[in-house]
Amino acid sequence: MSYLKVRDLHTHFGDVRAVDGVSFDLARGEILGLVGESGCGKSTLSRTLMQLQPSTAGSMVLDGTDFVSLSPDELRRRRLDFQMIFQDPYASLNPRHTVFSTLAEAVCTRRPELSGDTLTQEVAALMQRCGMNPAAMRKYPHEFSGGQRQRIAIARALAPQPKLLIADEPVSALDVSIQSQILNLLQDLVDDLELTMIFISHDLSVVSYLSDRIAVMKSGKFVEVGEADQVFNRPEHAYTKELLTAVPSIDTDAIALRLAS
Ligand SMILES: Nc1ncnc2c1ncn2[C@@H]1O[C@H](COP(=O)(O)OP(=O)(O)OP(=O)(O)O)[C@@H](O)[C@H]1O
Ligand SMILES: [Mg+2]
């Protein structure tokens, strides 16, 4: 059974058909890469899936539950199951909150009963899980590098124990040397925590690095969906071929190796 089943989803802003009839299935534990040029509707699709932006039409069934049928209370509870990671960790983290207070607050959305040492231990474990030293938990976002800040944002997304992660251009703002470290962290988390992930990028090479399957989006529609290896090495749609000729931002040899193995 698919974990997420999306059928003919539309999100329009007046005449702008940002999401214009998208259908796909996502299996539990799968990483779906979503790629397409700026303005094609990737972020609107993710915000619609997150229930942050109401859809205009279509359906979305998560784990057997149709989201349209949920009461606002149930929706709030179920929303903890999916979390987002954004492009700019600096903008998405509160500059006046320490790492501890940011992560503690996120932990308590799911487990409000935690406090004191137990909560501190939980925050430390989350930081460690994301490759950070818990000794830094009393520091503020500006005291970290961009890569470390993205690790904090990832830890915050994990804190409510989500099942689905949507990562919207999570490495686009990072130095090329840091990008693969963050991609590897995301891959490990999906494997270890049995997460399902939608990974968004305008860069097909970045998407190919992680994804099991890739969806190519253009003008609010999916023009091609397939196994990562097939879409990357034998694209069917002219638009996908066009995306492939764009300059890659990470080591494509490593991707070719991974896809071949
Ligand atoms: N809140 C909104 N109100 C009106 N139009 C919007 C809104 N959000 C997005 N749009 C429009 O919807 C279309 C899709 O935008 P979206 O941000 O989803 O694209 P994207 O693929 O994420 O682009 P990028 O790669 O630049 O992040 C664009 O034409 C955009 O201007
Ligand atoms: Mg976007």
Side-chain angles (χ1 to χ4, degrees), residues 3 21 54 69 87 122 127 134 137 154 158 165 168-170 189 191 195 207 213 222 247 255 258-259:
Y3 175 61
S69 70
Q87 174 170 341
E122 185 61 32
M127 289 180 76
M137 71 168 69
I154 292 169
L158 293 179
L165 273 188
D168 191 353
E169 305 264 10
L189 293 171
D191 292 345
L195 296 170
V207 159
R213 279 190 309 145
F222 281 6
V247 183
I255 299 159
R258 182 186 165 267
L259 292 176

Side-chain angles (χ1 to χ4, degrees), residues 14 18 48 85 88 93 98 106 116 121 135 142 174 187 190 226 232 248 260:
T48 306
I85 301 162
D88 182 355
L93 294 170
T98 62
Q121 277 160 22
H142 75 265
L174 302 178
Q187 176 81 65
V190 167
F232 193 70

